[in-house]
């Protein structure tokens, strides 16, 4: 563990950048609208929700875990915020904190079940996925919550730089990536997360509190999902009980595309941002070209397999 | 931002180099966006075909997009934004979530984009410039009247396989059916499913054949003596029929439905479905594209509700209820013939 795996540059770390660059070049040749500030900032707005969820997912995958509940927990947070702010008439900041509080509780629940009862993360989060979904539907009576106070959607508003219209939510997303990147790279806690993912038993034997690290990761992910709830509300302008349906798989896809190993211990959180952007760029570019978005699904499938194959091959090379 | 700062210079050069070979949109060609609920449901596949055909005829460029699944509001918003970025001045949309899509539609309209709802309305309906759709209440009334006449005075024990909670199309068809059958029912504006003692089991099928079969099986446990099944659409009707067949009850139970897809019309000819209300997605899409071209040329926006028509197609006609036969239905049907 002396040399952190992040300091090596395996092929897998370069691949995502090449894929993103290649996609951008391709779409720039296909549509003269692609490479405008307005369009690029639009893509950043479109990916902000999955982008923030993918940070939490990256942390969990770095510990060799997985979180299937992220999208549904995010949806629940959004319903809590919007309902508390409208029907209960709470001040917006309080409502937001309540929403983030609930998603954090779900993170804590996931973490406790994984660390204390030693259940596999896949099963734990499969369970909490369903629990969060059901609570969301019951509490909202499956009804969309509208007429939100402006404070709840503030992160969806934009400021202009040249022809770009940048949403505050996109700025927040990038800031969170930089923050988590710094924590993972420069702090003891960050190194412990990689260590647990590489070899939990060895990590425990050298005296690192493995269970506390794991629990902390799940709780941090819960907080991030809460922030994603707020971004989702800001982006759509409503509390949507059907939000989050595809976000769990989208986030896992982004993490894998970004070169983080599903086997834990290896990866860079900024890679997940690249992964999120690859998917966003394809969806946007194909629409500009007038091509069915089913091609995006096709390309994503191929890229995911290439990304995991690159990880496997570089792993073999490292041995 | 993160990406652009690093790559924009390199990409800009490449874009310049490539712009000679660029397949940019022809100048003056109106761009029209079509956002459906999913890319895979045959109803929306057909709607897209209708739009494409009309766009080709009128010299417009059609962009299409969709949510990933029924109810994927964020996916529809993203598709809409991308189309506006691509230069679309008209967006045709079948809202997946009638309420949740409203703020995004408002944003588009504030930019001067004309937004027309196809097939199902936004909530409130005046959130869009216009609505081109089947009158779903009428569609329900037609099969209700047919069922009432065909039952010939038998005491009805009805199973209702509905869409999903809170969806206006589901409520309008359900309530229309009850009204046509002569039961107490909410009016066409209500999003609440009315209940009546004659309805012995009510369940959501999500318009899906497999889910409909499961809920029908469960309804048969609760109400084994059912003699009439109302289904939200023809896949749900097919699921209900499978359940009845497995229970050996397909002979004594009448199924009525809505849609008029080609498979549904085949099922009607084969007696699986007694009657169905046929709607016309091709027409909705074609009218939407035409309105978009008109807007691009003259700046005149479409407005209000335009009924795209509905026809009762019956396997066997009954006295006192006007219907067309399945041959006519097959000529006008949508989906794979």
């Amino acid at each position: 563990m002396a040399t952190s795996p992040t300091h090596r540059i395996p092929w897998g770390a370069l691949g995502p950048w090449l894929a993103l660059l290649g996609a951008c070049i391709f779409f720039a040749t296909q549509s003269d609208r692609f490479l405008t500030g307005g369009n690029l900032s639009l893509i950043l707005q479109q990916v902000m929700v999955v982008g923030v969820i993918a940070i939490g997912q990256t942390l969990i995958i770095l510990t060799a875990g997985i979180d299937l509940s992220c999208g549904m927990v995010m949806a629940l947070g959004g319903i809590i915020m919007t309902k508390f702010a409208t029907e209960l008439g709470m001040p917006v900041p309080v409502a937001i904190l309540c929403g983030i509080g609930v998603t954090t509780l779900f993170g804590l629940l996931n973490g406790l079940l994984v660390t204390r009862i030693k259940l596999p993360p896949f099963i734990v989060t499969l369970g909490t996925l369903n629990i969060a979904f059901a609570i969301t539907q019951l509490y909202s009576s499956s009804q969309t919550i509208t007429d939100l106070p402006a404070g709840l959607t503030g992160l969806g508003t934009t400021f202009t730089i040249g022809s770009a219209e940048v949403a505050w939510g996109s700025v927040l997303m990038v800031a969170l990536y930089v923050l988590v990147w710094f924590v993972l790279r420069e702090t003891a806690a960050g190194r412990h997360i990689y260590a647990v993912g590489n070899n939990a038993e060895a990590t425990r034997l050298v005296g690192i509190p493995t269970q506390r690290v794991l629990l902390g990761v799940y709780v941090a992910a819960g907080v991030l999902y809460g922030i994603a709830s707020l971004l989702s509300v800001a982006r759509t302008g409503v509390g949507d009980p059907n939000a989050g349906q595809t976000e769990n798989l989208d986030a896992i896809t982004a993490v894998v595309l970004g070169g983080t190993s599903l086997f834990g211990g290896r990866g860079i959180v900024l890679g997940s941002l690249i992964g999120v952007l690859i998917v966003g760029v394809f969806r946007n570019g194909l629409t500009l070209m007038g091509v069915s978005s089913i091609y995006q699904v096709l390309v994503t499938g191929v890229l995911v397999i290439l990304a995991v194959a690159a990880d496997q091959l570089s792993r073999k090379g490292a041995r | 931002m993160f990406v652009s700062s690093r790559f924009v210079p390199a990409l800009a050069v490449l874009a310049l180099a490539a712009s000679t070979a660029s397949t940019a949109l022809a100048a003056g060609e109106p761009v029209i966006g079509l956002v459906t609920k999913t890319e895979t449901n045959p109803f929306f596949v057909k709607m897209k075909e209708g739009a494409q055909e009309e766009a080709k005829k009128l010299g417009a460029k059609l962009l299409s997009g969709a949510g990933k699944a029924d109810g994927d509001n964020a996916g529809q918003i993203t598709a809409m934004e991308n189309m506006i970025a691509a230069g679309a001045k008209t967006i045709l949309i079948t809202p997946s979530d009638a309420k949740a899509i409203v703020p995004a539609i408002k944003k588009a309209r504030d930019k001067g984009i004309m937004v027309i709802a196809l097939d199902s309305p936004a909530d409130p309906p005046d959130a869009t410039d216009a609505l081109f759709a089947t009158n779903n209440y009428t569609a329900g009334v037609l099969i209700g009247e047919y069922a009432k006449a065909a039952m010939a005075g038998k005491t009805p024990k009805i199973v209702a396989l509905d869409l999903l909670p809170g969806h206006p199309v589901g409520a309008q068809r359900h309530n229309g059916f009850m009204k046509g059958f002569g039961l107490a029912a909410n009016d066409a504006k209500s999003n609440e499913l009315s209940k009546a003692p004659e309805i012995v089991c009510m369940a959501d099928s999500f318009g899906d054949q497999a889910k409909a079969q499961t809920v029908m099986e469960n309804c048969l446990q609760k109400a084994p003596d059912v003699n009439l099944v109302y289904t939200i659409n023809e896949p749900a009707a097919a699921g209900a029929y499978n359940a009845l067949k497995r229970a050996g009850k397909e002979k004594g139970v009448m199924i009525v439905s809505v849609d008029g897809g080609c498979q549904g019309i085949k099922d009607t000819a084969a007696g699986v479905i007694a009657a169905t209300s046929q709607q016309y997605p091709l027409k909705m899409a074609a009218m939407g594209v035409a309105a978009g071209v008109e807007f691009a040329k003259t700046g005149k926006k479409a407005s209000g509700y335009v009924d795209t028509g509905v026809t009762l197609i019956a396997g066997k006609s009954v006295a006192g209820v006007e219907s067309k036969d399945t041959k006519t239905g097959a000529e006008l049907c949508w989906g794979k013939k």
Side-chain angles (χ1 to χ4, degrees), chain B residues 1 12 61 69 117 133 158 192 195 218-219 256 262 271 313 332-333:
Chain B
M1 230 165 36
K61 164 130 184 133
I158 307 171
E192 298 271 327
K195 292 184 179 117
N218 295 339
C219 278
V256 291
C262 293
I313 308 288
L332 297 170
C333 74

Side-chain angles (χ1 to χ4, degrees), chain A residues 17 20-21 24-25 28-33 35 39-40 42-46 141-144 146 156 159 161 166 171 174 234-238 240-243 245-247 250 270 273-274 277 280 283-285 287-294 296, chain B residues 1-4 6-8 10-15 18-19 21-25 39-40 48 61-66 68-75 77-79 81-87 89 97 99-104 107 111 164-166:
Chain A
W17 291 89
L20 181 61
L21 184 64
C24 285
I25 293 171
T29 64
Q30 295 300 310
S31 163
D32 51 7
R33 285 170 183 272
L35 221 54
N39 192 53
L40 294 178
L42 178 64
I43 297 174
L44 272 179
Q45 281 179 47
Q46 293 174 340
S141 319
S142 303
Q143 293 294 311
T144 304
T146 56
F159 60 92
I161 307 177
V166 183
V171 176
V174 174
R235 183 162 152 65
T236 57
V238 292
D240 178 4
N242 292 316
Q245 305 268 5
T246 57
E247 268 76 355
D250 287 355
L270 292 179
L273 179 57
I274 304 305
L277 286 170
R283 192 172 44 204
N284 174 271
T287 311
L288 294 189
M289 283 172 69
V291 176
S292 161
S293 62
I294 291 177
Q296 177 217 329
Chain B
M1 230 165 36
F2 182 74
V3 176
S4 54
R6 237 172 124 167
F7 284 132
V8 159
L11 285 175
V13 174
L14 283 160
S19 61
S22 162
T23 54
L25 308 168
E39 295 255 18
T40 47
K48 192 163 117 185
K61 164 130 184 133
L62 184 83
L63 305 175
S64 63
K68 276 193 195 150
D70 233 318
D72 178 12
N73 182 57
I77 294 177
T78 300
E81 289 171 344
N82 286 342
M83 289 168 184
I84 296 168
K89 291 282 179 289
D97 183 323
K99 270 191 198 165
I101 196 74
V102 169
K107 250 192 222 166
K111 286 184 189 156
L164 47 100

Side-chain angles (χ1 to χ4, degrees), chain A residues 50-112:
Chain A
V50 175
V52 171
I53 291 176
I55 302 175
Q57 188 71 258
T58 309
L59 293 175
I60 290 174
I61 289 179
L62 278 177
T63 67
I66 193 130
D67 188 352
L68 301 179
S69 71
C70 54
M72 290 301 151
V73 170
M74 184 274 283
L76 176 58
I79 288 297
I80 300 270
M81 287 174 193
T82 50
K83 245 183 118 108
F84 280 17
T86 55
E87 282 172 31
L88 302 186
M90 277 186 193
V92 169
V94 180
I96 291 172
L97 285 178
C98 290
I100 297 178
V102 169
T103 62
T104 308
L105 278 179
F106 261 88
L108 181 68
L109 176 67
N110 282 336
L112 286 175

Side-chain angles (χ1 to χ4, degrees), chain A residues 268-302:
Chain A
I268 319 162
V269 71
L270 292 179
S272 302
L273 179 57
I274 304 305
V276 165
L277 286 170
I278 290 173
V279 176
V281 160
F282 268 98
R283 192 172 44 204
N284 174 271
L286 290 171
T287 311
L288 294 189
M289 283 172 69
V291 176
S292 161
S293 62
I294 291 177
Y295 284 98
Q296 177 217 329
V297 181
L298 179 75
V299 173
T300 310
V302 173

Side-chain angles (χ1 to χ4, degrees), chain A residues 135-156:
Chain A
I135 297 176
T136 305
Q137 297 295 328
L138 291 171
Y139 184 54
S140 68
S141 319
S142 303
Q143 293 294 311
T144 304
I145 294 145
T146 56
D147 301 317
L148 307 182
L152 266 179
T153 54
L155 286 170

Side-chain angles (χ1 to χ4, degrees), chain B residues 132-147:
Chain B
F132 298 169
T134 305
N135 186 328
N136 284 298
Y137 199 76
T138 308
V141 168
L142 290 176
I143 52 172
E145 286 171 351
Y146 179 91

Side-chain angles (χ1 to χ4, degrees), chain B residues 80 91-95 98 101-102 105-106 109 113-118 120-132 301-305:
Chain B
M80 230 165 96
I91 300 282
L92 312 171
I93 184 164
T94 59
I101 196 74
V102 169
I105 291 177
K106 186 177 177 305
R109 290 182 71 195
I113 310 278
M114 174 168 77
V115 181
I116 299 176
L118 301 182
S120 32
D123 181 8
D126 64 2
T128 58
D129 287 289
L131 166 68
F132 298 169
K301 283 186 178 171
S303 67
Y305 168 58

